[in-house]
Amino acid sequence: MRRVTLFVNGTSKNGKVVAVYGTLSDLLTVASNKLGIRACNLYNGKGGLIDDIALIRDDDVLYVSEGDAFIDPQSDGKTSDDISGSHTDWLTLNIGGRLFTTTSRAAILYMHIFIFYILFFMQNSHPPEDHSPLSRKEFVRFLLATPTKSELRCQGLNFSGADLSRLDLRYINFKMANLSRCNLTYANLCCSNLERADLSGANLDGANLQGVKMLCSNAEGASLKGCNFEDPSGLKANLEGANLKGVDMEGSQMTGINLRVATLKNAKLKNCNLRGATLAGTDLENCDLSGCDLQEANLRGSNVKGAIFEEMLTPLHMSQSVR
């Protein structure tokens, strides 16, 4: 696998190392995402325009432009045409959506303004370096800038209180992220990684949680009414060791779900489909399981003290529980 180092045209700082794969268009898409610009052209260190991905070698240093001519990072803002002496006396720049025509004497000044604009855009198109929560607007921008085949890594990010409702969040890595008090109603979290994430007080009503990974996550006090954990392909949702104290999961589809050694104390699971679920060692104290389907569920070693088993859809056999 080849890898290259990408810089914004005219700079030699804040480079990004990326893998080279697919077509030249794929590499330009990755460059746009990594550098925060709309990548149009690639140049090598000598100012040569690269028009075929086969011309790129391992460990090449490439410069990415938005359609402007190559700028040597050591030439004080001059373009490749300026350096060769073949450039005309007039230069047209597009800065902030406005066209400026100027002589070459003022080119350096305007080019510095142009570079400042690019750097300002890059700074404002990446997650904040502090721990302040990301807004819906900022996160949607990241989603739109990420190719559909690329995994979006949000590990450890702070989304506390954000409105992420009805968004397509499939396959995103939210491991150890702060999603407390988030609005995730009707969001598509299919196969996302929420391991050790903080979902306390979050609203996930109607969310698609097929094949989700929520090992040791904290969803205390969250609302998960009408959620779908059941993947038709057979991939089982994994909530092993999760803290689900006081959650409201009424009416959720949880066939085959793994809730081993999870804590569901005082939780509401009325009318849930828990057929074939793994509830071994689970704390179900004072849990409302009325109207549930627990056929073939594994309740061995679970704590069912004070649990409500009224109006069960299927009989609960003694072999399913030893306490």
Side-chain angles (χ1 to χ4, degrees):
M1 178 185 69
R2 292 173 293 171
R3 63 180 184 180
V4 296
T5 303
L6 302 178
F7 292 96
V8 175
N9 190 24
T11 68
S12 58
K13 296 181 179 180
N14 300 320
K16 301 290 184 181
V17 178
V18 302
V20 178
Y21 65 92
T23 64
L24 185 63
S25 177
D26 292 330
L27 182 56
L28 289 171
T29 300
V30 173
S32 299
N33 182 39
K34 294 291 185 180
L35 298 178
I37 65 174
R38 191 176 68 177
C40 295
N41 295 326
L42 287 174
Y43 297 98
N44 63 17
K46 296 181 180 180
L49 177 64
I50 296 173
D51 58 2
D52 191 338
I53 199 166
L55 301 174
I56 299 175
R57 297 174 299 181
D58 192 29
D59 289 330
D60 269 354
V61 176
L62 305 179
Y63 298 89
V64 185
S65 81
E66 291 185 303
D68 48 312
F70 173 72
I71 305 169
D72 191 328
Q74 299 180 352
S75 65
D76 296 327
K78 295 181 180 179
T79 66
S80 56
D81 292 330
D82 290 327
I83 297 171
S84 64
S86 62
H87 198 277
T88 63
D89 291 335
W90 296 93
L91 179 67
T92 300
L93 298 176
N94 185 336
I95 302 176
R98 299 180 60 188
L99 293 177
F100 294 85
T101 303
T102 180
T103 62
S104 57
R105 293 181 179 180
I108 295 177
L109 174 61
Y110 282 109
M111 191 59 68
H112 284 173
I113 296 174
F114 179 65
I115 294 174
F116 172 79
Y117 175 77
I118 293 176
L119 294 176
F120 177 80
F121 175 79
M122 290 173 59
Q123 180 180 358
N124 286 275
S125 63
H126 286 76
E129 295 182 358
D130 57 15
H131 294 288
S132 58
L134 287 170
S135 67
R136 180 185 179 92
K137 182 178 180 180
E138 290 171 324
F139 189 54
V140 169
R141 187 191 306 167
F142 303 149
L143 290 176
L144 295 176
T146 305
T148 55
K149 295 182 180 179
S150 299
E151 177 185 312
L152 185 58
R153 299 184 63 186
C154 297
Q155 182 168 326
L157 294 185
N158 185 3
F159 297 90
S160 179
D163 180 7
L164 305 179
S165 60
R166 302 181 185 275
L167 291 180
D168 187 351
L169 307 175
R170 291 174 295 173
Y171 303 102
I172 295 180
N173 182 2
F174 287 111
K175 186 176 182 180
M176 295 184 288
N178 183 359
L179 293 156
S180 59
R181 296 176 289 102
C182 276
N183 181 2
L184 287 159
T185 54
Y186 298 101
N188 189 351
L189 288 155
C190 176
C191 297
S192 61
N193 187 351
L194 293 162
E195 183 178 345
R196 300 183 185 277
D198 185 358
L199 289 157
S200 56
N203 188 347
L204 290 94
D205 291 352
N208 183 0
L209 296 167
Q210 295 176 333
V212 72
K213 296 179 181 178
M214 290 178 62
L215 287 82
C216 301
S217 59
N218 177 22
E220 184 171 353
S223 180
L224 292 93
K225 291 187 289 186
C227 289
N228 182 20
F229 292 87
E230 185 178 348
D231 189 350
S233 66
L235 184 62
K236 297 180 180 180
N238 192 347
L239 282 73
E240 183 171 333
N243 177 10
L244 300 167
K245 289 181 180 179
V247 298
D248 188 349
M249 304 177 80
E250 183 175 350
S252 293
Q253 293 295 322
M254 295 187 282
T255 301
I257 193 172
N258 182 4
L259 287 164
R260 193 175 73 87
V261 300
T263 301
L264 283 155
K265 188 175 182 179
N266 299 317
K268 298 178 182 178
L269 276 75
K270 294 179 63 177
N271 304 316
C272 284
N273 185 352
L274 287 161
R275 181 171 296 199
T278 301
L279 295 161
T282 304
D283 186 358
L284 297 169
E285 184 175 348
N286 298 324
C287 185
D288 188 352
L289 292 157
S290 56
C292 285
D293 185 351
L294 287 164
Q295 184 175 349
E296 298 180 357
N298 181 0
L299 289 158
R300 293 185 180 278
S302 61
N303 177 15
V304 294
K305 180 181 179 182
I308 302 173
F309 292 98
E310 297 178 356
E311 301 177 1
M312 302 297 291
L313 296 184
T314 56
L316 184 64
H317 298 287
M318 292 302 295
S319 61
Q320 293 180 250
S321 177
V322 296
R323 288 172 58 178

